[in-house]
């Protein structure tokens, strides 16, 4: 059963850090505060500078506290799928109490017995998810507590990750002045929050298009079948625009949000001025030309994903593909994805008031996942961590001065990329000072795709 209380999600991205505070009441989740701050000390979704990342997180938490009117003490942090390993495991113990009634301690003991698998020193258990319990041979039990039995067995999935990444994550959160309530595997939270019951059962794929990277997770039979991270995202689109148009990244980001279209047939013929380095006067650029630059990068990302989905035989799942993330805001992204993947594709937009934006889907899923952890899940987590913290009820925060919750309804401000600019091997065409008299050649898309492809050879 879900818990009532306040749950804070923390999404540490390469471009932005998002914090969301949600109140869970009787199974309903209400967002009471959210923040979106520029990231620092994070590269490819991994913390590379603890002090810089901690300062950025602290700033984002302060903004969320002000909007929510509460003090944040615990956070639930999303962990990307970098080098994630999943393996089935099982445990078995005798029920030793005189009454033979299964208790919380028995559940924790059987989980501990399943955690005895040996692993290399560089890896650590992130989480353990019980799938079923077996009491004296009776299978399919979700919660054995209160039942009578002599032998208790359990089957579940063990998730492990690099010890260094986990250590740096914990240390950074600690430096930010808050405590870590849960480390949540992002693909698990995303698929559970975004996909409905039928899609998780019959199969679907979620593509999260972030700033510095794109995350893919395929689920079927309620279990992750495939997850991967591609080190390209919205920031790379900005870099392409900047490189091809010979303009600053700040202006390139503005062009992407104001005029950008991911699907070339959707682009208009309107022109707009661009300040080009080396030119005295601004150069007029057409929307269709900008769309060709954007489309080439997005298509390249999608084609990489398609190859892996085909290889793992999860491209044709009945639920198709669901796209989320900041990069999903671009008009025509669904149409381009459907053209590349050849399967049903849709855009997911959160329905929470004030944050109906695909960029917030991940941080919403973290708060939702934490609030929906069952008692058995929390006991399993306590066994993994070796402490009692996760057995406690959700923390209730005092609202100072009874301030009413406030919502940030402003759109996300474009954040300049912090990733290094990639070198472009081919010379790009120079632009003249006058307005182009004819549309760009149709073969430009192929040239851009080849240009981007050469970078990865």
């Amino acid at each position: 059963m879900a818990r009532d209380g306040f749950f804070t999600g923390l999404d540490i991205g390469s471009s932005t850090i998002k914090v969301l505070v949600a109140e869970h009441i009787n199974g309903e989740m209400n967002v009471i505060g959210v923040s979106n701050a520029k990231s620092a000390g994070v590269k490819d979704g991994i913390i590379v500078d603890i002090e810089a990342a901690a300062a950025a997180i602290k700033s984002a938490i302060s903004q969320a506290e002000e909007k929510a009117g509460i003090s944040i003490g615990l956070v639930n942090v999303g962990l990307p799928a970098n080098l994630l390993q999943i393996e089935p495991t099982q445990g078995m113990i005798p029920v030793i109490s005189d009454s033979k009634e299964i208790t919380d301690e028995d559940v924790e003991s059987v989980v501990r017995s399943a955690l005895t698998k040996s692993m290399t020193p560089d890896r650590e258990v992130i989480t353990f998810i019980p799938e079923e319990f077996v009491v004296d041979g009776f299978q399919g039990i979700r919660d054995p507590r209160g039942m009578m039995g002599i032998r208790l067995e359990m089957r579940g999935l063990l998730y492990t990750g690099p010890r260094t990444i986990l250590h740096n994550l914990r240390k950074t959160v600690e430096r930010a002045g808050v405590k870590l309530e849960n480390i949540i595997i992002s693909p698990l939270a995303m698929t559970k929050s975004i996909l409905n019951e039928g899609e998780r059962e019959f199969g679907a794929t979620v593509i999260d298009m972030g700033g510095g990277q794109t995350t893919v997770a395929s689920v079927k039979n309620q279990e992750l079948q495939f997850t991967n991270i591609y080190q390209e995202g919205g920031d790379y689109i900005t870099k392409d625009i900047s490189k091809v148009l010979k303009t600053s990244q700040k202006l390139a980001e503005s062009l992407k949000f104001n005029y950008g279209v991911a699907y070339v047939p959707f682009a208009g013929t309107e022109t707009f001025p661009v300040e080009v380095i080396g030119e005295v006067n601004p150069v007029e650029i057409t929307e269709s030309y900008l769309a060709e630059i954007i489309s080439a990068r997005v298509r390249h990302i999608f084609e990489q994903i398609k190859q892996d989905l085909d290889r793992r035989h999860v491209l044709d799942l009945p639920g198709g593909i669901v796209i989320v993330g900041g990069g999903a805001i671009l008009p025509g992204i669904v149409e381009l994805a459907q053209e590349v993947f050849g399967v049903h594709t849709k855009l997911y937009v959160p329905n929470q008031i004030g944050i109906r934006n695909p960029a917030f889907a991940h941080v919403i899923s973290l708060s939702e996942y934490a609030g929906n952890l069952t008692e058995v899940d929390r006991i399993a987590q306590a066994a993994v961590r070796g402490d009692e913290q996760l057995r406690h009820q959700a923390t209730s925060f005092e609202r100072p001065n009874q301030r009413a919750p406030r919502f940030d309804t402003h759109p996300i401000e474009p954040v300049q990329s912090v990733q290094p600019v990639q070198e472009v091997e081919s010379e790009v065409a120079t632009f003249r000072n006058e307005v182009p008299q004819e549309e760009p050649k149709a073969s430009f898309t192929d040239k851009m795709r080849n240009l981007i492809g050469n970078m990865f050879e």
Side-chain angles (χ1 to χ4, degrees):
M1 179 181 296
R3 295 176 290 171
D4 289 347
F6 294 88
F7 298 89
T8 300
L10 173 59
D11 174 14
I12 307 174
S14 300
S15 298
T16 62
I17 292 176
K18 299 179 180 68
V19 177
L20 182 139
V21 184
E23 184 177 16
H24 289 244
I25 302 176
N26 298 325
E28 296 291 330
M29 187 180 86
N30 301 306
V31 176
I32 64 171
V34 64
S35 67
N36 181 52
K38 185 175 180 179
S39 184
V42 183
K43 182 180 179 181
D44 298 335
I46 301 300
I47 295 170
V48 294
D49 187 329
I50 292 177
E51 293 299 331
I57 292 170
K58 191 172 184 178
S59 174
I61 289 176
S62 296
Q63 294 177 34
E65 288 178 329
E66 181 181 352
K67 294 172 183 178
I70 65 172
S71 177
I72 297 173
L74 297 172
V75 294
N76 298 275
V77 184
L79 183 73
N82 299 66
L83 304 177
L84 179 69
Q85 290 184 3
I86 310 171
E87 58 179 311
T89 185
Q90 58 185 10
M92 189 272 290
I93 63 164
V95 180
I96 59 176
S97 65
D98 293 337
S99 64
K100 299 302 179 183
E101 186 172 296
I102 298 171
T103 64
D104 288 4
E105 288 70 24
D106 293 318
V107 172
E108 183 171 351
S109 295
V110 75
V111 171
R112 288 186 184 280
S113 71
L115 298 177
T116 56
K117 280 197 169 187
S118 60
M119 65 182 69
T120 57
D122 63 329
R123 300 196 68 79
E124 182 179 334
V125 175
I126 304 169
T127 188
F128 177 81
I129 299 180
E131 291 188 305
E132 71 163 348
F133 292 87
V134 181
V135 178
D136 294 345
F138 293 96
Q139 302 179 353
I141 299 171
R142 299 295 301 174
D143 186 350
R145 295 175 302 161
M147 296 182 178
M148 183 175 291
I150 297 175
R151 185 182 63 190
L152 176 64
E153 301 174 67
M154 182 216 56
R155 302 185 182 95
L157 293 176
L158 189 66
Y159 294 80
T160 65
R163 185 179 296 272
T164 300
I165 292 177
L166 292 167
H167 171 81
N168 292 346
L169 180 62
R170 295 190 184 100
K171 194 72 175 178
T172 302
V173 171
E174 178 186 323
R175 291 284 180 88
V178 290
K179 293 183 179 180
L180 189 61
E181 184 174 16
N182 290 301
I183 294 179
I184 298 173
I185 297 172
S186 294
L188 283 177
M190 289 279 284
T191 54
K192 193 166 185 178
S193 174
I194 292 170
L195 303 178
N196 59 41
E197 187 75 18
E199 289 170 334
R200 292 196 300 272
E201 183 64 34
F202 290 97
T205 297
V206 175
I207 298 178
D208 180 15
M209 302 187 68
Q213 58 189 13
T214 298
T215 303
V216 177
S218 297
V219 63
K220 184 180 180 182
N221 298 327
Q222 306 289 341
E223 295 179 3
L224 279 177
Q225 304 294 316
F226 168 73
T227 183
N228 196 17
I229 289 179
Y230 303 83
Q231 302 301 343
E232 297 177 64
D235 292 343
Y236 285 75
I237 298 174
T238 302
K239 294 170 193 174
D240 290 343
I241 297 171
S242 173
K243 197 73 177 180
V244 174
L245 300 186
K246 295 183 178 178
T247 190
S248 67
Q249 289 202 35
K250 183 177 181 180
L251 181 56
E253 184 82 353
S254 178
L255 294 175
K256 181 177 72 173
F257 278 94
N258 293 325
Y259 302 99
V261 175
Y263 193 51
V264 177
F266 283 6
T269 58
E270 180 184 351
T271 63
F272 46 86
V274 177
E275 295 180 2
V276 176
I277 297 173
E279 298 287 347
V280 177
N281 299 316
V283 174
E284 293 289 331
I285 302 299
T286 63
E287 284 188 359
S288 59
Y289 189 78
L290 179 64
E292 296 229 20
I293 300 171
I294 295 172
S295 176
R297 172 63 69 176
V298 177
R299 186 181 291 272
H300 176 75
I301 296 172
F302 284 165
E303 286 177 346
Q304 291 183 80
I305 296 171
K306 182 183 179 182
Q307 290 178 3
D308 287 338
L309 295 180
D310 259 334
R311 191 178 301 118
R312 304 299 171 88
H313 306 290
V314 290
L315 178 61
D316 297 325
L317 295 175
I321 289 174
V322 182
I323 302 179
V324 297
I329 300 173
L330 285 169
I333 197 78
V334 172
E335 288 73 16
L336 179 58
Q338 195 149 335
E339 181 178 291
V340 173
F341 294 110
V343 299
H344 172 69
T345 305
K346 66 180 180 181
L347 176 67
Y348 174 81
V349 180
N351 59 10
Q352 279 77 12
I353 297 175
I355 50 171
R356 292 192 174 106
N357 189 316
F360 286 94
H362 181 208
V363 71
I364 291 171
S365 72
L366 298 176
S367 296
E368 186 175 355
Y369 189 93
N372 288 330
L373 286 174
T374 66
E375 286 287 342
V376 170
D377 291 330
R378 295 201 301 276
I379 292 172
Q381 288 293 82
V384 170
R385 295 181 53 157
D387 59 36
E388 302 290 325
Q389 178 181 347
L390 296 180
R391 296 189 187 193
H392 300 162
Q393 294 297 316
T395 303
S396 296
F397 297 102
E398 294 293 334
R399 300 190 183 216
N401 302 323
Q402 297 297 319
R403 288 189 292 173
R406 295 190 287 115
F407 298 89
D408 186 5
T409 57
H410 299 291
I412 302 174
E413 295 183 1
V415 178
Q416 187 173 345
S417 170
V418 296
Q419 300 286 5
V421 178
Q422 284 186 295
E423 292 295 332
V424 178
E425 297 175 357
S426 301
E427 182 179 358
V428 296
T430 57
F431 300 100
R432 302 185 180 277
N433 293 334
E434 61 270 15
V435 177
Q437 299 299 315
E438 58 182 33
E439 293 296 318
K441 295 181 180 180
S443 61
F444 180 81
T445 301
D446 294 331
K447 293 180 180 179
M448 281 298 301
R449 292 174 60 194
N450 292 335
L451 181 149
I452 295 171
N454 289 337
M455 290 190 241
F456 299 89
E457 290 181 354

